[in-house]
């Protein structure tokens, strides 16, 4: 078996072997003479493992096995003609006849050399191609009959000439690009005249595997073989260009690093001469700052470890500035820096009263916290959640609390946050990484015990990047936030002394686990009286300062402010009221600036002149002149409101129709009311046959406004009972409450807003569930002294209180008698 010693010009470029000291060139006449030589019918076959021999090409091979050496010596003593065939599987040491390729090349042994290592090297030249027929001998080496392999030569047309020119040009380009190929190779290729020999020469020496070369050897048509060679050369040229490009890039990068290193060394020297900060001096400054920090033990160890890491870095490295920024963040964080709390409770109470009118429950909770903190200094800060409609002062209350406590104030808006990294930060390995907003806000505050307002916590979103509300669980848990872990800081930070105050408009969208960690305090809407006082004490002075108006230039009486509230705003808070007062102040500012005479005491007429006609109609009580009309109380995002539920009958088959843009819960309340009324018709003196002879239509006006909730349950049942009994509802009466199929009256929410709406609408009596009595007790008596409350637990109590004793003229019994021909007693 033969072993082939690479001839392919180092195969790094792969065109021609640089170790070869001669290039056998073959003219057209030499090729014709070679093709006309007689070939023996039987040849000794030498298997080649690592290469393919082409006609006309000269290659050296090394033979090491006894079988191969004997074949070479026998042939060298004879006519020196052998057959060379590549084996199909290069892994076989001693291939049989069947394991050889069918096409090979007749070879002439030019020279045999005995090498110092004991191996035999022979130089052979390919002559003609042949095809194996039959094996005639297997020992001591293979002999076989052969058949001459005829080649189809194309016509020498323009296309073939262009193809050959392309092959020669591409081969020259590869030689020029490769530093390992001698220039003589290019000279040899330029001087090859024979197209067939040029193709054979390049095929033999190109960087291709044995299978690909064997495939080229077996192609009969010279034109097709030329195309295959061109394809391989194209691929090799692209690889060579890419390799050179990569080497050039690496060389440029190394050159740039060396250049940057020398420049940085020079810059360091210049900075030292000028007294500037060299990297070593910068590191020393960081160490000096660290000695003045009140570190925790873990933070100190981590800082020392990181600054040692910085000292080992090359200042020119890209990570150097990242490490500097990281260490500066650790130094900027107020690890154990706390502001001293002001425990003067009377002062704190005065500050809260001055800054905010009303909100008694919140103020009381803050004073309680200060009182306990004064007695027990290591108390964990409470986590409050202020829930209420927009504009009632939830966010600004945080500033007042910070001022009352003497603490730093920081606010973080959570509305629209969808990425968990906004809370916990990014890992330092990411490009552009930074700490989370919790840590950033603590750094901004400069103390470890600020008043931290988490604004709009109910508007936190989540998507594929994570759930920020889940990340807040650790922040807002007093049992866990003493070791808050930020991905960027990589050291636990103690948040237990931070007083977190969250604000929200609604609790429905807050994660239950997060809701459980907070102390919920409802901040209800303001009454008209409260809004008037807020306008006088806060809004008007603020608008005067913003518009450059003095107190003598404008005066707003309570009646005028009340008109603005009722006719131009509809809200629980005072944000819209502030805008309207700002419009009045600007109207006055215009007159002052133009030196126009005016009356500084603004009248109701002046209000309509400046603000235009009233925007809203006051929700006044409408008289219930007909049976089936009941006044209900509702809660909205902008405060309380009254609504009217109307029920009417028409001849039919007992169908129930609901209109007025009602939600599913409200529709269910109507269905429950109808079912209860059917089941208890005898208790209310209603003939059960009416339910099958009349269609019922329940409508809630303002159809463009969506309505939902269970609080209209007793109102629905009262309306249905009224229309079936034809008993009118008592005047100036409103109600709210949920019902059950058993006729129980359940409590509902938003009582304060609903009561305020009833008072605005001139309601005198209100029916509520007994369980809502506690909500009425929280409202100041001054605001509800003109209202009478009826507390009920059963629906029959509601009917007795709500419906009058007298029936409407043309009672329903007569109508039924006329239509159905039956008498109702």
């Amino acid at each position: 078996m033969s072993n082939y010693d690479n001839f392919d010009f180092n195969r790094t470029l792969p065109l021609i072997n640089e170790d070869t000291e001669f290039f056998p060139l073959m003219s057209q006449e030499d090729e014709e003479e070679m093709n006309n030589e007689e070939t023996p019918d039987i040849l000794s076959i030498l298997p080649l493992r690592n290469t393919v021999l082409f006609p006309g090409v000269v290659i050296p091979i090394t033979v090491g096995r006894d079988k191969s050496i004997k074949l070479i010596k026998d042939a060298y003593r004879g006519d020196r003609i052998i057959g060379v065939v590549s084996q199909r599987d290069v892994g076989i040491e001693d291939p049989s006849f069947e394991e050889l390729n069918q096409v090979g090349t007749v070879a002439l042994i030019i020279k045999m050399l005995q090498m110092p290592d004991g191996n035999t090297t022979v130089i052979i030249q390919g002559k003609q191609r042949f095809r194996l027929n039959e094996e005639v001998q297997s020992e001591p080496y293979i002999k076989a009959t052969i058949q001459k392999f005829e080649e189809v030569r194309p016509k020498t047309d323009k296309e073939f000439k262009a193809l050959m020119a392309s092959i020669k040009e591409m081969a020259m380009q590869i030689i020029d690009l490769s530093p390992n190929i001698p220039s003589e190779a290019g000279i040899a290729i330029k001087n090859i005249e024979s197209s067939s020999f040029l193709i054979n020469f390049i095929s033999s020496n190109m960087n291709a595997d044995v299978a690909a070369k064997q495939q080229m050897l077996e192609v009969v048509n010279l034109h097709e073989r030329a195309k295959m060679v061109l394809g391989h050369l194209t691929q090799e040229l692209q690889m060579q260009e890419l390799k050179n490009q990569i080497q050039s890039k690496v060389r440029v990068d190394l050159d740039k690093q060396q250049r940057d290193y020398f420049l940085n060394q020079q810059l360091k020297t210049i900075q030292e001469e000028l007294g500037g900060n060299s990297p070593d001096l910068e590191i020393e400054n960081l160490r000096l700052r660290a000695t003045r920090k009140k570190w925790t033990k873990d933070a100190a160890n981590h800082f020392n470890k990181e600054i040692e890491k910085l000292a080992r870095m090359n200042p020119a490295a890209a990570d150097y500035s990242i490490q500097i920024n990281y260490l500066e963040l650790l130094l900027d964080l107020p690890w154990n820096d706390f502001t001293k709390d002001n425990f003067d409770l009377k002062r704190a109470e005065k500050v809260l009263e001055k800054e905010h009118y009303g909100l008694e429950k919140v103020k009381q909770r803050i004073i309680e916290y200060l009182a306990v903190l004064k007695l027990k200094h290591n108390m964990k800060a409470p986590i409050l959640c202020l829930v209420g409609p927009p504009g009632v002062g939830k966010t600004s209350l945080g500033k007042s609390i910070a001022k009352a406590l003497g603490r730093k104030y920081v606010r973080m808006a959570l509305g629209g946050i969808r990425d968990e990294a906004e809370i916990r930060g990014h890992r330092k390995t990411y490009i552009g990484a930074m700490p989370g907003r919790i840590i950033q806000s603590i750094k901004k505050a400069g103390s470890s015990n600020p008043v931290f307002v988490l604004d709009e916590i109910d508007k936190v979103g989540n998507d594929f990047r994570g759930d920020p509300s889940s990340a807040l669980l650790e922040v807002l848990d007093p049992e866990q936030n003493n070791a808050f872990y930020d991905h960027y800081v990589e050291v636990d930070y103690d948040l237990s002394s931070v007083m977190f105050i969250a604000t929200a408009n609604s609790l429905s969208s807050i994660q239950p686990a997060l809701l459980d960690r907070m102390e919920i305090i409802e901040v209800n809407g303001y009454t008209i009286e409260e809004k008037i006082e807020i306008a006088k004490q806060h809004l008007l002075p603020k608008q005067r300062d913003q518009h450059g108006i003095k107190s003598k230039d404008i005066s707003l009486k309570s009646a005028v402010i009340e008109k603005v509230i009722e006719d131009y705003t509809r809200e629980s808070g005072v944000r819209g009221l502030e805008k309207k007062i700002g419009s009045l102040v600007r109207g006055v500012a215009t007159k002052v600036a133009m030196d126009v005479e005016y009356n500084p005491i603004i009248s109701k007429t002046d209000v309509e002149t400046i603000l235009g006609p009233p925007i809203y109609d006051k929700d006044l009580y409408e008289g219930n002149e007909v049976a089936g009309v009941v006044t209900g109380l509702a809660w909205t995002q902008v405060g309380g409101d009254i609504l009217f539920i109307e029920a009417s009958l028409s001849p039919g088959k007992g169908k129930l129709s609901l209109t007025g843009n009602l939600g599913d819960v409200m529709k269910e309340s109507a269905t429950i009311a109808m079912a209860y009324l059917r089941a208890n018709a005898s208790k209310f003196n209603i003939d059960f046959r009416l339910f099958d002879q009349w269609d019922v239509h329940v409508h809630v006006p303002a159809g463009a406004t969506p309505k939902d909730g269970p609080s209209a349950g007793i109102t629905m049942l009262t309306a249905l009972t009224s229309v079936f009994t034809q008993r009118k509802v008592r005047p100036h009466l409103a109600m709210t409450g949920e019902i059950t199929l058993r006729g129980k009256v359940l409590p509902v929410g938003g009582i304060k807003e609903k009561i305020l709406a009833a008072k605005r609408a001139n309601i005198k009596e209100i029916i509520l569930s007994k369980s809502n009595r506690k909500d009425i007790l929280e409202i100041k008596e001054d605001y509800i002294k003109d209202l009478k409350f009826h507390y009920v637990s059963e629906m029959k109590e509601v009917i007795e209180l709500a419906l009058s004793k007298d029936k409407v003229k043309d009672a329903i019994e007569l109508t039924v008698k006329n239509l159905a021909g039956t008498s109702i007693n």
Side-chain angles (χ1 to χ4, degrees), residues 11 131 692 808:
R11 284 197 187 270
R131 187 183 300 276
D692 297 326
V808 181

Side-chain angles (χ1 to χ4, degrees), residues 346-373:
K346 292 184 178 179
R347 173 190 169 275
E349 199 170 16
K350 287 181 180 178
V351 170
L352 293 174
E353 288 292 342
K354 181 182 177 182
E355 298 286 337
H356 284 79
Y357 188 85
L359 307 178
E360 304 300 333
K361 188 184 293 187
V362 185
K363 295 175 184 176
Q364 180 185 353
R365 182 66 183 86
I366 300 305
I367 297 300
E368 290 173 356
Y369 166 66
L370 271 178
V372 176
L373 195 63

Side-chain angles (χ1 to χ4, degrees), residues 49 134-135 189 239 331 349 355 363 415 532 623 661 681 705:
R49 176 158 52 180
E134 294 181 356
E135 183 182 20
I189 289 177
M239 290 293 294
L331 291 170
E349 199 170 16
E355 298 286 337
K363 295 175 184 176
I532 291 173
N661 201 352
T705 305

Side-chain angles (χ1 to χ4, degrees), residues 177-179 239-249:
L177 287 174
S178 175
M239 290 293 294
Q240 188 63 41
E241 289 175 344
L242 181 61
K243 186 169 68 174
N244 288 348
Q245 183 181 354
I246 293 172
Q247 291 175 348
S248 175
K249 184 178 180 181

Side-chain angles (χ1 to χ4, degrees), residues 232-295:
H232 281 282
L233 288 178
T234 303
Q235 182 179 1
E236 184 58 34
L237 180 61
Q238 292 173 351
M239 290 293 294
Q240 188 63 41
E241 289 175 344
L242 181 61
K243 186 169 68 174
N244 288 348
Q245 183 181 354
I246 293 172
Q247 291 175 348
S248 175
K249 184 178 180 181
V250 171
R251 184 166 54 252
V252 168
D253 289 345
L254 289 174
D255 292 345
K256 184 178 184 301
Q257 287 184 11
Q258 293 174 351
R259 176 177 174 273
D260 291 346
Y261 174 77
F262 288 123
L263 288 176
N264 275 296
Q265 290 298 110
Q266 292 176 0
L267 182 62
K268 178 180 177 181
T269 305
I270 293 171
Q271 286 176 337
E272 290 173 351
E273 291 293 330
L274 295 176
N277 291 338
S278 65
D280 294 338
L281 184 59
E282 193 171 24
I283 293 174
E284 287 304 314
N285 289 337
L286 292 176
R287 294 184 191 274
L288 183 61
R289 286 178 60 190
T291 59
R292 297 193 290 264
K293 292 294 292 185
K294 300 175 183 178
W295 298 102

